[in-house]
């Protein structure tokens, strides 16, 4: 019950958890003219970019990809297999042979030489030259210390002062300007995209209403009824008349041929090999 009486905590939104720092007059004064100028510059570029992207996507889908597949399957892949086989035969196999029969024995010989000859000689040289090495190391340490302070006083401290009092403030101002230009480019690019899509929809609508809809209406209300009328009143009667004329011409030609040459001789009846009726031949007869 006590848990139910407790007030529920409202979840904090992203805008509440991350508070934006206050912006000065310099930022606001730079932002508005930069965004207006960048929008006017970016708008034609975005329109050209969308048109180029549409054409490039069409060419990529229907030209580049099929040609690339054909070249890969019938040219590049066989050539690659042949080149890989040649490299294996001419390069890999000789390198394996060289490593196995020349470099490996040579490496073993060098290891033996280092362990058995050079290492004892090195220990002897160090034992003899240890005091001299310590003196040389001390001299180098003193020289390094002096060089460190010289470089620090003559180079590092002036560079730090220059960075702190000159370059850092100028860099902050340039950072504000560049950030606002970048933000303005982003806003202008998105706004130009909306404008480009709106222009595309308007052009598509105008094309549909100026060309497609009148053509469809003309076809449906004028051409189709006219076509039906022409078919029913002209083409079908003309076809019937043509067929009747053709039949009459053929009949007249047949009558003329009979008048000139007489009736054509009918083929003589051929006697059938098998007797008909009750006189049919059987296996016994």
């Amino acid at each position: 019950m006590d848990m139910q009486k407790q007030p529920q905590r409202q979840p904090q939104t992203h805008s509440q958890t991350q508070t934006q720092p206050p912006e000065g007059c310099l930022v606001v004064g730079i932002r508005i003219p930069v965004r207006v100028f960048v929008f006017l510059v970016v708008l034609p570029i975005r329109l050209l970019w969308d048109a180029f992207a549409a054409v490039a996507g069409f060419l990529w889908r229907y030209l580049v990809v099929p040609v690339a597949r054909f070249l890969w399957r019938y040219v590049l892949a066989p050539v690659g297999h042949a080149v890989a086989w040649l490299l294996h035969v001419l390069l890999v196999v000789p390198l394996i042979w060289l490593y196995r029969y020349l470099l490996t024995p040579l490496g073993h010989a060098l290891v033996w030489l280092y362990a058995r000859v050079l290492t004892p000689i090195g220990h002897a040289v160090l034992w003899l030259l240890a005091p001299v090495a310590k003196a040389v190391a001390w001299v180098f340490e003193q020289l390094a210390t002096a060089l460190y302070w010289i470089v620090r006083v003559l180079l590092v401290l002036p560079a730090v002062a220059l960075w702190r009092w000159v370059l850092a403030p100028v860099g902050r101002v340039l950072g504000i300007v560049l950030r606002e230009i970048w933000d303005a480019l982003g806003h202008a690019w998105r706004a130009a995209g909306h404008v480009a899509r709106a222009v595309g929809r308007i052009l598509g609508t105008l094309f549909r209403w100026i060309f497609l809809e009148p053509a469809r209406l003309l076809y449906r209300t004028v051409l189709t009824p006219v076509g039906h009328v022409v078919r029913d009143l002209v083409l079908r009667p003309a076809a019937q008349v043509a067929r009747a004329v053709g039949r009459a011409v053929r009949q007249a030609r047949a009558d003329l041929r009979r008048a000139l040459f007489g009736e054509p001789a009918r083929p003589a009846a051929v006697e059938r090999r098998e007797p008909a009726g009750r006189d049919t031949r059987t296996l016994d007869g």
Side-chain angles (χ1 to χ4, degrees), residues 20-40:
Q20 297 182 354
E23 298 178 348
C25 298
L26 177 62
V27 176
V28 178
I30 292 173
R31 177 177 298 169
I32 296 175
V34 165
R35 289 192 177 183
V36 172
F37 176 74
V38 169
F39 176 77
L40 295 177

Side-chain angles (χ1 to χ4, degrees), residues 108-189:
H108 290 298
L110 290 176
V111 171
W112 180 87
L113 180 64
Y114 175 79
R116 302 297 181 181
V117 179
L118 296 179
T119 301
I121 293 175
H123 287 300
V125 170
L126 288 177
W127 182 77
L128 293 174
L129 298 179
V132 178
K134 291 182 179 179
V136 172
W138 182 82
V139 171
F140 274 106
E141 183 180 358
Q142 299 301 320
L143 288 176
T145 304
L147 183 63
Y148 167 77
W149 282 105
I150 290 172
V151 172
R152 181 179 177 83
V153 172
L154 295 180
L155 296 177
V156 176
L157 293 180
V160 170
L162 179 64
W163 171 261
R164 179 175 298 175
W165 302 108
V166 177
L167 296 180
V170 174
R172 283 193 293 269
V173 174
L174 289 177
I176 293 172
V177 173
L178 293 177
R179 185 189 65 189
E180 292 301 323
I181 292 174
W182 181 258
D183 293 339
L185 283 173
H187 289 290
W189 186 260

